[in-house]
């Protein structure tokens, strides 16, 4: 974009006027970059709340999961990496748990938002920051956590027209952004069993997610270590739109007010699994968040916290149910792990 003044909506409108409608992925990437740089996104006072903000149990159990792997791998020197670490809450809770058993890794955050880096520094002052995974250290195994990271990466959309599949674009009419059908795409990029779907059917994909997970898996296969990916998602490819916007803990129009709402899309775990395996990592899962946290002992941890603080027992029980309940995050969210050869089977994926 040649013009930089005004709001993101102004800049996107000018870009579309000059060059024509843009892919959904470009619109989503620009909107989220602007949003996370400026907005108070996470927490009760923000637009949405993530699992680490619901309860300390989440981060503590992930810290215990990492410490168990490290111990059974022979207690090597390693680096802790978190992708999109939010306000630093998960890392703070996980690192506290790891420290209790003698695991004190160096800490590396992949984060581009100056606002979030400031919040993360207040909770994890020893962290080192990276704009992307290319600059992560390569001198020791990595243990990587990506919680609600992949859902924020941009998605491509194609829509079934009358006689072909077409790329979905974002146009601007007056001051409104609207999705429109663009140029035809080759039939070969459409999964064979979906090619004859009804007119109006939509398919999403995320080349950005594939690129990131492939690089992570290759790093782990080469350096040693493990990665834990937790997000809401499905096993694709599948028909249907999952692109959504959240504002003030409620749903909004994803094409309205870019940069002022959080955009996300459900994660295709089948694609992440395949890309990770091809890159050389051992892949475990996915399993539901309910089953993963259940195998790690969340019920026991919740009971212990409630016994220690009886006045908070109802709050702790509600958080437990929110993280694991079938009508909450329990089955919508999934967990998948990557490990290198020589590292043990991770807990939670029996």
């Amino acid at each position: 974009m040649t013009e930089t003044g005004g709001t993101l909506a102004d800049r996107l409108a000018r870009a579309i006027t000059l060059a024509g409608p843009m892919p959904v992925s470009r619109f989503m990437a620009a909107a989220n970059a602007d949003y996370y740089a400026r907005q108070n996104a996470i927490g009760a006072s923000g637009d949405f709340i993530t699992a680490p903000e619901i309860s300390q149990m989440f981060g503590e159990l992930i810290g215990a999961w990492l410490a168990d792997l490290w111990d059974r791998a022979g207690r090597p020197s390693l680096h802790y990496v978190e992708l999109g670490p939010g306000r630093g809450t998960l890392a703070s809770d996980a690192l506290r748990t790891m420290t209790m058993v003698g695991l004190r890794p160096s800490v590396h955050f992949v984060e581009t938002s100056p606002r979030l880096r400031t919040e993360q520094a207040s909770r994890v002052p020893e962290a080192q920051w990276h704009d992307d995974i290319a600059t992560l250290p390569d001198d020791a195994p990595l243990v990587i956590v990506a919680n609600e990271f992949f859902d924020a990466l941009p998605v491509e959309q194609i829509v079934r027209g009358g006689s072909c599949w077409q790329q979905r674009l974002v146009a601007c009419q007056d001051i409104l952004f609207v999705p429109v059908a663009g140029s035809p795409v080759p039939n070969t990029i459409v999964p064979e069993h979906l090619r004859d779907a009804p007119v109006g059917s939509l398919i999403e994909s995320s080349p950005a997610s594939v690129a990131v997970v492939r690089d992570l898996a290759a790093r782990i296969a080469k350096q040693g270590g493990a990665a834990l990916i937790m997000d809401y998602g499905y096993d694709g490819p599948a028909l249907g739109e999952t692109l959504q916007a959240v504002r003030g803990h409620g749903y909004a129009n994803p094409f309205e007010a870019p940069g002022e709402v959080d955009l996300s899309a459900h994660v295709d775990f089948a694609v992440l699994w395949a890309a990770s395996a091809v890159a050389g990592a051992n892949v475990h899962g996915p399993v539901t968040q309910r089953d993963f946290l259940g195998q790690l002992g969340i019920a026991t941890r919740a009971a212990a916290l409630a016994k220690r603080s009886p006045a908070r027992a109802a709050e702790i029980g509600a958080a437990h149910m929110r993280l694991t309940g079938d009508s909450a995050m329990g089955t919508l969210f999934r967990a998948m792990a990557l490990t290198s050869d020589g590292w043990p089977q991770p807990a939670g994926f029996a």
Side-chain angles (χ1 to χ4, degrees):
M1 300 176 195
T2 57
E3 296 181 71
T4 59
T7 66
L8 176 65
D10 294 332
R11 301 195 300 272
L12 289 174
R14 287 196 293 269
I16 290 170
T17 299
L18 291 171
M22 65 176 59
V24 169
S25 58
R26 183 180 170 193
F27 179 88
M28 182 177 178
N32 274 351
D34 191 73
Y35 174 79
Y36 284 105
R38 297 187 304 104
Q39 301 296 330
N40 179 25
I42 305 168
S45 62
D47 289 325
F48 59 90
I49 191 166
T50 59
E53 304 289 338
I54 292 172
S55 170
Q56 69 188 71
M57 294 185 290
F58 187 82
E60 289 172 346
L61 289 173
I62 288 178
W65 183 86
L66 293 168
D68 171 69
L69 264 180
W70 166 74
D71 183 60
R72 290 188 289 124
R75 298 197 162 207
S77 297
L78 51 76
H79 305 289
Y80 173 88
V81 176
E82 191 170 340
L83 309 184
R87 302 198 304 174
T89 305
L90 190 161
S92 178
D93 292 335
L95 290 164
R96 183 178 65 251
T97 302
M98 287 187 265
T99 299
M100 293 171 62
V101 295
L103 174 54
R104 296 177 176 83
S106 65
V107 180
H108 300 265
F109 288 161
V110 178
E111 178 61 70
T112 58
S113 167
R115 171 189 284 271
L116 288 175
R117 284 189 177 192
T118 298
E119 287 206 59
Q120 292 154 14
S122 69
R123 291 175 174 82
V124 190
E126 71 271 28
Q128 302 173 55
W129 283 267
H130 304 260
D131 290 333
D132 56 50
I133 64 176
T135 59
L136 291 175
D138 58 7
D139 59 343
L142 305 175
V143 288
I144 303 167
V145 176
N147 179 63
E148 292 194 53
F149 171 78
F150 283 93
D151 66 274
L153 296 184
V155 293
E156 298 278 2
Q157 294 182 333
I158 58 174
V159 62
R160 178 64 192 270
S163 60
C164 63
W165 287 87
Q166 298 167 270
Q167 184 181 29
R168 202 181 194 204
L169 306 173
V170 179
C172 186
Q173 298 177 354
D174 297 325
I175 59 172
L176 300 176
F177 296 97
V178 293
V180 297
S183 301
V185 299
N187 237 22
T188 52
I189 75 168
V190 183
E192 189 171 355
H193 69 288
L194 299 179
R195 289 176 186 171
D196 295 325
V199 171
S201 298
L202 189 144
I203 299 173
E204 291 177 338
S205 63
S206 179
S209 295
V210 171
V212 171
V213 81
R214 185 177 58 223
D215 288 348
L216 292 178
R219 279 284 196 119
I220 289 170
K222 181 179 180 180
Q223 292 179 228
L228 178 63
I229 298 168
M230 300 186 73
D231 228 313
Y232 50 90
Y234 62 99
D235 291 327
L239 297 175
E241 180 175 18
T242 70
L243 176 65
Q244 63 185 26
V246 173
R247 187 176 195 177
H249 299 274
Y251 292 109
N253 182 342
F255 300 105
E256 184 177 305
E260 298 179 26
V261 296
D262 170 66
L263 297 184
S264 65
H266 288 214
V267 175
D268 186 343
F269 276 91
V271 167
L272 296 190
W273 193 103
S276 300
V278 167
N282 301 312
V283 189
H284 312 269
V287 299
T288 65
Q289 180 167 293
R290 175 197 63 198
D291 291 347
F292 178 70
L293 295 179
Q295 289 188 55
L296 297 189
I298 190 171
T300 300
R301 180 58 177 152
L305 287 174
K307 184 176 180 179
R308 184 185 305 168
S309 303
R312 296 182 56 232
E315 173 194 340
I316 293 165
H320 178 200
M321 287 299 101
R322 186 168 181 182
L323 291 171
T324 62
D326 289 349
S327 60
M329 300 173 71
T331 54
L332 175 61
F333 281 69
R334 297 183 172 197
M336 186 176 82
L338 315 178
T339 57
S340 63
D341 288 341
W343 273 59
Q345 168 79 16
F349 295 93

